[in-house]
Amino acid sequence: VKPLYELSIAEAGRALRDGSVTSVALTEDALGRIEAIDGKLDSFITVTADRAHADAAAADADFARGVDKGPMQGIPYGLKDIYNTAGIRTTCHSKLRVDVVPDADSVVAAKLKAAGGVLLGKLATHEFALGGPSFDLPFPPARNPWNTDHMPGGSSSGSGAAVAAGLVRMAMGSDTGGSIRGPAAYCGTVGFKPTYGLVSRRGVFPLSTTLDHCGPLSWTVEDSAITMGILAGYDKLDPASADVPKPDFLSGLNEGVRGMRFGMPRHFYAEAEGVSPEVVAALDKAAQTLTDLGATVEEITLPDYDLFNACGRVIMFTEAYAIHEADYRSRPLDFGQLTFMRMTLGAFVTAADLQQASRLRRELCEAVSRKLLTYDALITANALGTAPAFADIDPNNPPNFPIQTMAFNVTGHPALAIPTGFSASGLPLSMQIVGRAFDDAKVLRIGAAYEAATGLAARRPACATV
Amino acid sequence: VIPEARRPGLLAGFKDLRKMVGLLRQPRTAANEPASTFSIDTVTRSLNS
């Protein structure tokens, strides 16, 4: 019999419906684990125990009355602390917002509440989803459950750490340059950045509206698919929201990859500065696994990764600076040092630079979309190494850890981070599966097939078993 | 005034940024519109009930 924390959303949902477990029991178990484990991880900024108890009691009462709101009913979850939550402080992990209590929920928080989910709390982030990990903020940085001397990645750092440690089955992150997929890579979880426009960002503190995406981190692909089934949908008040039919994320999830064609831009990562041979070997092994499952994997060429990175970072720094300009001018030293230094770069971008980035963005988007006319998906690297140690961070010189996620923020294509194994040092490795725009369900289907073939979800960090 | 301790890191970041903006200059015609050209539909749709 599995311990409660190891039950996926799907498994817990079945147990809730056959009466073998209650939402109150799941919630008490999760709160107890947070109490016992999170002192080492600092993944939570705010634990909403009273709200969780109320949500769980309401879910159990609904089950007793025969009311079923769907697969999140009675399931505990967490939100990155940039998602507005009515009546619950939303700090963005920053001194500038340490007492901000929103009046209204973000669209995502409202949908999860309406679906009967149980909010356990608000999770650590890099400050304003940009600057970190930092030790000069009102809250400590989250730590990596596989080795607490190492960072969990960012900016959805608490989300990655909490999912990996089994404190929550699903936590919402946001992804502007890789802030879902990076923590997923470093913490060994699944992380899904949907197609741009598929999930509303309304009520989520923006970093760069051109590149911002909302999406889940979870322990299994199926749990991300379940979450997407609740969150996907048009929101006319989010100008980037796409008015497209809502995909069915679950019905074809287990249909495998036989007959599919995958393109692998090996030149992206195999020749990149700082790439670990373990990452390259794990990707080669993943390609073989997909081949064994009946797919075809072919090496392809895309524009150089450095172009995607330059385009995305110039847009991100500029928009971040524009959003924070008033505070930056009036109280610059209230930002953490890393945030301050990254944001300052946005002040140096010229209008011509930004216009060139915008033009390049269109070209890169077309180049990736053109490849995806031929291939069902792309298979490529995520982080180019394992999670760096905190000791490697110089607060006076913001680090650029090698990771290749920005490409698909620039293009908007759906991208799934999924574990590919472990390094010799015992830290997780990861890859990305990238699909056609609004073909998110197929990306998750490919991930589910790969996950089932590898069995990697069976291995948890030691701290999770305490 | 930028604090003294932050200046070396900012200078390093600025040099990285200048390298990046150099990469953005690709051969294009004047007619090549940027990706951010807006659609009147998206910016006015919240007015339509």
Side-chain angles (χ1 to χ4, degrees), chain A residues 247-296:
Chain A
D248 179 348
F249 298 98
L250 288 169
S251 66
L253 189 67
N254 297 316
E255 290 180 358
V257 297
R258 183 164 298 283
M260 289 191 191
R261 286 182 75 190
F262 301 134
M264 207 163 175
R266 210 168 183 280
H267 69 98
F268 251 32
Y269 56 88
E271 299 151 21
E273 186 181 344
V275 68
S276 158
E278 291 177 308
V279 168
V280 178
L283 272 156
D284 288 343
K285 191 175 172 189
Q288 186 58 53
T289 300
L290 291 166
T291 304
D292 294 344
L293 292 171
T296 305

Side-chain angles (χ1 to χ4, degrees), chain A residues 2-12 29-30 33 37 41 76 144-147 158-171 184 186-190 217-221 223 419 421-422 425-428 451 455-466:
Chain A
K2 283 184 178 181
L4 286 183
Y5 79 88
E6 283 193 6
L7 296 178
S8 67
I9 293 175
E11 291 167 334
D29 181 68
R33 290 178 59 77
I37 297 171
L41 300 179
N144 193 313
W146 296 93
N147 183 335
S159 302
V163 170
L167 307 182
V168 291
R169 291 160 187 80
M170 186 282 289
Y186 287 161
C187 294
T189 76
V190 170
L217 293 92
S218 61
W219 194 246
T220 67
V221 174
D223 285 355
F422 293 87
S425 61
L427 291 169
E451 177 184 69
L456 287 167
R459 182 168 166 182
R460 288 273 190 175
C463 75
T465 61
V466 171

Side-chain angles (χ1 to χ4, degrees), chain A residues 234-257:
Chain A
Y234 175 56
D235 174 11
K236 71 178 183 180
L237 297 179
D238 175 351
S241 183
D243 191 2
V244 296
K246 183 173 176 174
D248 179 348
F249 298 98
L250 288 169
S251 66
L253 189 67
N254 297 316
E255 290 180 358
V257 297

Side-chain angles (χ1 to χ4, degrees), chain A residues 136 234-243 306-307 309-311 313-314 317 332-333 335-337 340-341 344-345 348-350 352-353 355-363 396-398 400, chain B residues 1-37 41-49:
Chain A
D136 60 351
Y234 175 56
D235 174 11
K236 71 178 183 180
L237 297 179
D238 175 351
S241 183
D243 191 2
D306 285 351
L307 293 177
N309 189 52
C311 177
R313 288 172 77 81
V314 165
F317 289 142
L333 299 184
F335 289 100
Q337 187 156 330
F340 172 89
M341 296 177 86
T344 300
L345 298 181
F348 296 144
V349 176
T350 69
D353 294 337
Q355 188 76 332
Q356 297 291 4
S358 185
R359 290 179 174 187
L360 179 58
R361 177 173 173 236
R362 168 168 289 191
E363 292 165 16
N396 289 318
N397 193 359
N400 289 316
Chain B
V1 177
I2 293 171
E4 191 64 37
R6 298 185 181 187
R7 290 184 186 187
L10 274 178
L11 184 60
F14 180 74
K15 286 179 178 171
D16 277 350
L17 180 71
R18 295 327 297 172
K19 277 186 212 159
M20 286 192 282
V21 298
L23 291 173
L24 304 178
R25 268 77 180 170
Q26 303 284 320
R28 297 182 183 91
T29 72
N32 189 312
E33 288 193 352
S36 58
T37 302
D41 289 340
T42 60
V43 297
T44 60
R45 68 189 179 195
S46 64
L47 305 176
N48 305 321
S49 58

Side-chain angles (χ1 to χ4, degrees), chain A residues 186-456:
Chain A
Y186 287 161
C187 294
T189 76
V190 170
F192 187 53
K193 182 200 79 65
T195 303
Y196 186 72
L198 196 57
V199 175
S200 172
R201 300 96 41 92
R202 186 155 54 93
V204 180
F205 200 97
L207 170 56
S208 168
T209 48
T210 299
L211 306 170
D212 287 343
H213 300 66
C214 295
L217 293 92
S218 61
W219 194 246
T220 67
V221 174
E222 184 180 30
D223 285 355
S224 276
I226 287 170
T227 307
M228 285 301 301
I230 289 159
L231 300 183
Y234 175 56
D235 174 11
K236 71 178 183 180
L237 297 179
D238 175 351
S241 183
D243 191 2
V244 296
K246 183 173 176 174
D248 179 348
F249 298 98
L250 288 169
S251 66
L253 189 67
N254 297 316
E255 290 180 358
V257 297
R258 183 164 298 283
M260 289 191 191
R261 286 182 75 190
F262 301 134
M264 207 163 175
R266 210 168 183 280
H267 69 98
F268 251 32
Y269 56 88
E271 299 151 21
E273 186 181 344
V275 68
S276 158
E278 291 177 308
V279 168
V280 178
L283 272 156
D284 288 343
K285 191 175 172 189
Q288 186 58 53
T289 300
L290 291 166
T291 304
D292 294 344
L293 292 171
T296 305
V297 182
E298 298 170 12
E299 200 165 325
I300 62 165
T301 303
L302 288 174
D304 285 347
Y305 184 78
D306 285 351
L307 293 177
F308 292 92
N309 189 52
C311 177
R313 288 172 77 81
V314 165
I315 293 170
M316 181 177 75
F317 289 142
T318 308
E319 294 186 354
Y321 179 76
I323 288 163
H324 293 283
E325 186 177 27
D327 286 328
Y328 183 89
R329 288 178 180 275
S330 63
R331 47 190 297 201
L333 299 184
D334 283 348
F335 289 100
Q337 187 156 330
L338 290 176
T339 314
F340 172 89
M341 296 177 86
R342 290 199 169 118
M343 207 180 299
T344 300
L345 298 181
F348 296 144
V349 176
T350 69
D353 294 337
L354 187 61
Q355 188 76 332
Q356 297 291 4
S358 185
R359 290 179 174 187
L360 179 58
R361 177 173 173 236
R362 168 168 289 191
E363 292 165 16
L364 296 173
C365 189
E366 286 178 1
V368 173
S369 295
R370 201 173 300 118
K371 285 293 178 193
L372 284 165
L373 293 175
T374 307
Y375 296 97
D376 291 281
L378 310 180
I379 308 298
T380 190
N382 185 348
L384 297 183
T386 55
F390 283 104
D392 293 340
I393 297 165
D394 175 359
N396 289 318
N397 193 359
N400 289 316
F401 295 114
I403 185 165
Q404 295 197 326
T405 44
M406 178 60 93
F408 310 107
N409 296 86
V410 167
T411 67
H413 292 91
L416 178 73
I418 187 162
T420 53
F422 293 87
S423 69
S425 61
L427 291 169
L429 305 169
S430 179
M431 70 174 179
Q432 293 181 87
I433 301 169
V434 182
R436 298 169 186 150
F438 302 106
D439 202 9
D440 299 56
K442 186 186 283 181
V443 172
L444 292 165
R445 171 179 161 182
I446 296 162
Y450 176 77
E451 177 184 69
T454 61
L456 287 167

